[in-house]
C-alpha cells in the first residue's frame, strides 16, 4: 500500500489508510519538506528498523515512566527525536536527545509539556523519561532518527490508570477453508481478556526436529483485526508449507504469550489440524 504525501506552506501531511500523521514546520524546524515526507513514509516501510519493545506502559498518577528506543546506533546522526501523539490528535515533537551524551535540545520545540520530560540513561541507552506522570500525559510516544531515510519506531502507549495489568489468553485455530485462494490455508491467533487491550503479534515456524525460525517475507499475507475486548491475527499459508508447525507470539505489557500448533498435518488447509494448545503464562 502506498503513501500519499502532499506539501503546503505550513508542512506536510501523509495518509496511509486510517493512520494520519501531520508534522508542521513549527513542530519540526530542523527537517526539510522532503525529509518529512520520508519520515511519514517510514511508518509503512521502515517501522521495524527502530525497536520500541513496550506496546503499552501502565502507570498511576505521580509515578515515573521511561520509554526505550533501540537500534539507534544505525542512525546517520546522533540525534534521536521524540514525538507525542494523543488520540485524535497530530504528532507533536517534544525534543531530541543526543544518543551519546544524553544532552537534550528543546530550543525549537513548541510542545506545552516539554519541561515535563527528561532523558534517562539505562542499559538500553538514553530513554525519554517522565518523572511525575499526569493524566494528560496519556498518549503514544514515538522515537525517530535518520537512517537511509527518516525512520520512526512503532510507538509505546502510556496508559494512566489505577487498573492492574492482566496478561492475555491466547488461542490458535485453523480457519475455515471457505474463500481461501487455491493451494493456501490459514491460521487464526486470538488474544483476549487482557488489560490493557493493546498487543503486537508475531509468527514463527518449525519443521519436525528442526529449529524455530522467523517467517520469511514470502511466507504469506498477514491480517490483524482489533476489537475492544480482543485482537486477532490471521496468517495465510501456502499449502506446500503445511509440514511446518507454526507459533503465534503475542507481545503484551504483562509478558509474551505463545500459542502453537502441536502437530503439523499435510492436509491442514482444511479442518484437520488435530492438536492445538493454548498457553497462558
Amino acid at each position: 500500500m502506498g503513501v500519499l504525501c502532499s506539501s503546503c506552506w505550513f508542512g506536510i501531511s501523509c495518509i496511509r489508510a486510517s493512520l494520519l500523521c501531520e508534522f508542521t514546520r513549527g513542530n519540526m524546524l530542523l527537517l526539510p519538506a522532503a525529509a518529512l515526507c520520508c519520515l511519514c513514509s517510514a511508518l509503512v516501510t521502515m517501522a521495524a528498523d527502530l525497536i520500541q519493545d513496550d506496546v503499552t506502559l501502565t502507570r498511576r498518577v505521580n509515578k515515573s515512566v521511561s520509554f526505550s528506543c533501540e537500534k539507534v546506533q544505525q542512525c546517520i546522526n546522533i540525534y534521536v527525536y521524540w514525538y507525542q501523539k494523543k488520540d485524535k490528535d497530530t504528532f507533536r515533537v517534544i525534543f531530541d536527545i543526543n544518543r551519546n551524551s544524553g544532552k537534550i535540545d528543546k530550543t525549537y520545540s513548541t510542545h506545552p509539556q516539554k519541561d515535563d520530560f527528561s532523558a534517562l540513561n539505562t542499559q538500553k541507552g538514553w530513554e525519554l523519561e517522565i518523572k511525575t506522570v499526569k493524566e494528560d500525559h496519556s498518549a503514544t510516544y514515538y522515537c525517530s532518527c535518520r537512517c537511509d531515510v527518516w525512520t520512526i519506531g512503532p510507538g509505546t502507549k502510556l496508559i494512566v490508570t489505577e487498573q492492574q495489568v492482566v496478561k492475555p489468553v491466547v488461542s490458535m485455530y485453523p480457519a475455515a477453508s471457505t474463500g481461501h485462494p487455491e493451494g493456501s490455508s490459514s491460521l487464526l491467533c486470538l488474544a483476549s481478556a487482557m488489560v490493557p487491550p493493546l498487543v503486537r503479534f508475531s509468527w514463527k515456524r518449525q519443521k519436525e526436529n528442526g529449529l524455530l525460525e522467523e517467517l520469511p517475507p514470502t511466507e504469506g499475507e498477514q491480517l490483524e483485526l482489533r476489537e475492544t475486548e480482543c485482537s486477532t491475527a490471521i496468517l495465510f499459508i501456502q499449502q506446500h508449507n503445511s509440514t511446518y508447525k507454526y507459533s503465534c507470539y503475542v507481545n503484551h505489557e504483562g509478558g509474551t504469550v505463545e500459542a502453537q500448533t502441536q502437530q503439523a498435518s499435510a492436509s491442514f488447509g482444511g479442518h484437520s489440524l488435530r492438536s492445538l494448545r493454548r498457553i497462558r503464562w
Side-chain angles (χ1 to χ4, degrees), residues 159-173:
I159 299 173
V160 183
T161 181
E162 296 291 324
Q163 281 188 299
Q164 296 292 323
V165 174
V166 179
K167 295 179 183 180
V169 175
V170 178
S171 305
M172 190 159 66
Y173 309 96

Side-chain angles (χ1 to χ4, degrees), residues 2-126:
V3 178
L4 173 62
C5 295
S6 59
S7 60
C8 62
W9 179 256
F10 292 100
I12 283 184
S13 174
C14 301
I15 302 173
R16 184 215 180 210
S18 61
L19 181 61
L20 169 65
C21 60
E22 294 179 356
F23 296 86
T24 66
R25 181 170 298 182
N27 279 343
M28 199 169 181
L29 294 176
L30 299 183
L31 299 180
L36 288 177
C37 190
C38 288
L39 178 54
C40 290
S41 299
L43 284 168
V44 179
T45 60
M46 299 295 292
D49 283 358
L50 292 179
I51 296 175
Q52 292 182 262
D53 278 333
D54 298 309
V55 181
T56 60
L57 290 171
T58 301
R59 294 293 186 274
R60 293 186 172 94
V61 171
N62 295 325
K63 297 297 183 180
S64 64
V65 68
S66 65
F67 305 90
S68 65
C69 183
E70 298 182 68
K71 294 187 72 176
V72 296
Q73 298 302 322
Q74 68 181 338
C75 302
I76 293 174
N77 58 30
I78 60 174
Y79 305 108
V80 178
Y81 293 85
W82 283 93
Y83 298 87
Q84 180 194 69
K85 186 183 184 307
K86 295 186 177 182
D87 292 341
K88 299 181 181 179
D89 203 354
T90 59
F91 283 78
R92 302 196 68 176
V93 66
I94 303 169
F95 51 55
D96 65 82
I97 302 174
N98 184 310
R99 60 180 165 89
N100 294 330
S101 66
K103 183 179 178 180
I104 291 172
D105 182 8
K106 53 185 174 182
T107 56
Y108 57 89
S109 175
T110 61
H111 197 295
Q113 297 176 315
K114 63 183 179 182
D115 293 331
D116 294 351
F117 298 86
S118 56
L120 177 67
N121 193 12
T122 71
Q123 291 182 343
K124 293 183 178 181
W126 289 97

Side-chain angles (χ1 to χ4, degrees), residues 192-234:
S192 61
M194 60 274 190
V195 178
L198 296 180
V199 296
R200 288 187 191 137
F201 291 96
S202 61
W203 297 84
K204 293 184 179 180
R205 70 181 188 181
Q206 182 181 22
K207 273 194 172 182
E208 187 176 357
N209 299 323
L211 297 176
L212 199 63
E213 62 184 32
E214 302 288 341
L215 292 186
T218 57
E219 173 62 38
E221 184 180 359
Q222 299 181 45
L223 175 66
E224 294 186 12
L225 305 173
R226 301 184 186 278
E227 300 293 339
T228 303
E229 297 181 355
C230 66
S231 292
T232 304
I234 301 173

Side-chain angles (χ1 to χ4, degrees), residues 173-200:
Y173 309 96
S177 58
T178 303
H180 287 171
E182 186 176 355
S184 68
S185 55
S186 59
L187 289 172
L188 184 149
C189 185
L190 174 67
S192 61
M194 60 274 190
V195 178
L198 296 180
V199 296
R200 288 187 191 137

